[in-house]
Amino acid sequence: MSRPFTQPTVVADRLDAGLRALAGLVEPGRPGWTRTALGEVDRDARELVRRWMADAGMETRVDGAGNVVGRLRGTGSGRTIMLGSHTDTVVGGGRFDGTVGVVGALEVVRALRESGRRLEHDLVVVDFFDEEPNEFGLSCVGSRAMVGELTREHLEMHDEEGRTLADALARVGVDPGAALTARADLSDVDVFVELHIEQGPYLEQQGASIGLVESITGISRFRALFSGRADHAGTTPMDVRRDAGCAAAGTVLAVERIAGEGALTKGTSGAVTFTPAAVNVVTATAEFRGEFRGPEAEWLRHAQDRLTAAAQEEGERRQVGVDVEWLPLQEPAPMAPGVLGTLTGVVDALGLSASRLFSGAEHDAAVLARSVPTGMLFVPSRDGRSHCPEEWTDLDDIAAGVTALLHSVLALDEGGVR
Ligand SMILES: [Zn+2]
């Protein structure tokens, strides 16, 4: 006979208090709610999360890659259910991206403990280190390390001043050598579930309070370099110019054109530089970075070929040299059908209105999905806004999402993943 227990219940006030506490830890003098992973304040936030985990009765540790990991022992199946998200932000970000998943997972632990209900599984909660893209261009640093995908090449990535990611990690107390070997044995993990804000307008448009994620976007990023010739802006005839800026501009428009042809596909360009930075000189060299996103790897590869061809055409027309350098493709990550099925059943049983959707934002769940059966729940974002100070999700919606997470954990503990 097991000990009697009351039904575990999510307490919205505790969620609110947790989110407010994290919102109070921001980098001084920076816009919005800024807590970048390679800044000093993020370290305080992760230590706060570790203390919360300990107070909730979990065994805690910080792994070699800066991930804060809490474990609530189960009754001894030897199997694990893992939850988690991140507490770092983009510069000028909001209060809910990532934090909802960490505070929510902690609330699941508190609700379970308070009710006296014990899971068969161990319940692990992770606050993943550096999910947002850092100034070196790498995202999901902690989750990559956890699944063994952080490489020496990653650590050698450098910013514009030539500093390396390894140096930056060391400055915030993450030993780069330890990060490289922080791969966790995940063979006991039956399932990983991440709760997150949608960061887009779909759920609000649908009038749904829960999003059931079917897959997470693939991403293909590139750097394009154009080498032309500096010439006098007033005397050089248009038809003999080798204007690298015009070739770059044509390629930026090709990104928009190619991405605009699909329903869920996206294409974005940024970090454009023309050299020399002058209006009275024909641009000698131009550079920009761009990306495509979409649910299908095949489309991403096709988009790569088309964009490279478009850039070459733009260059040839102007006798401008072109070099398009593609970073390794991040494959789209479908969520495990068994986990999605369980989450769907739970949300239905709770009577919550839900919609299935595709995530155009990347998440730690996409990294974990390559090693562990993974599912993801979304809660709505007001006006679809995110990565900005206006980012907002109502407390009622957050509480509903955490309730769905709690009941998903109970269902997964009883039934496992089918
Ligand atoms: Zn996030």
Side-chain angles (χ1 to χ4, degrees), residues 341-408:
T342 301
L343 301 184
T344 304
V346 165
V347 169
D348 282 352
L350 288 169
L352 295 166
S353 59
S355 271
R356 291 201 170 192
L357 77 177
F358 158 74
S359 172
E362 66 176 336
H363 297 289
D364 292 307
V367 178
L368 267 291
R370 298 199 276 271
S371 297
V372 175
T374 293
M376 228 184 151
L377 295 167
F378 278 172
V379 287
S381 295
R382 182 192 287 170
D383 298 329
R385 302 292 307 281
S386 182
H387 283 185
C388 58
E390 291 81 9
E391 184 179 271
W392 185 262
T393 300
D394 286 334
L395 186 59
D396 286 352
D397 284 330
I398 297 170
V402 178
T403 299
L405 185 67
L406 166 65
H407 286 267
S408 299

Side-chain angles (χ1 to χ4, degrees), residues 160-184:
E160 272 152 27
E161 275 104 63
R163 290 174 300 206
T164 63
L165 173 58
D167 296 340
L169 289 174
R171 270 201 305 279
V172 294
V174 176
D175 174 2
L180 270 186
T181 56
R183 179 184 201 144

Side-chain angles (χ1 to χ4, degrees), residues 35-37 39-47 87-88 129-130:
R35 189 173 50 251
T36 56
E40 276 302 313
V41 180
D42 182 59
R43 207 171 165 177
D44 298 340
R46 285 181 292 117
E47 173 53 21
T87 50
D88 67 314
F129 177 72
D130 196 359

Side-chain angles (χ1 to χ4, degrees), residues 85-86 97-98 131-132 194 196 199 362-363 387:
S85 196
H86 62 97
D97 176 357
E131 189 271 347
E132 301 289 0
E194 179 169 3
H196 203 279
Q199 308 183 272
E362 66 176 336
H363 297 289
H387 283 185

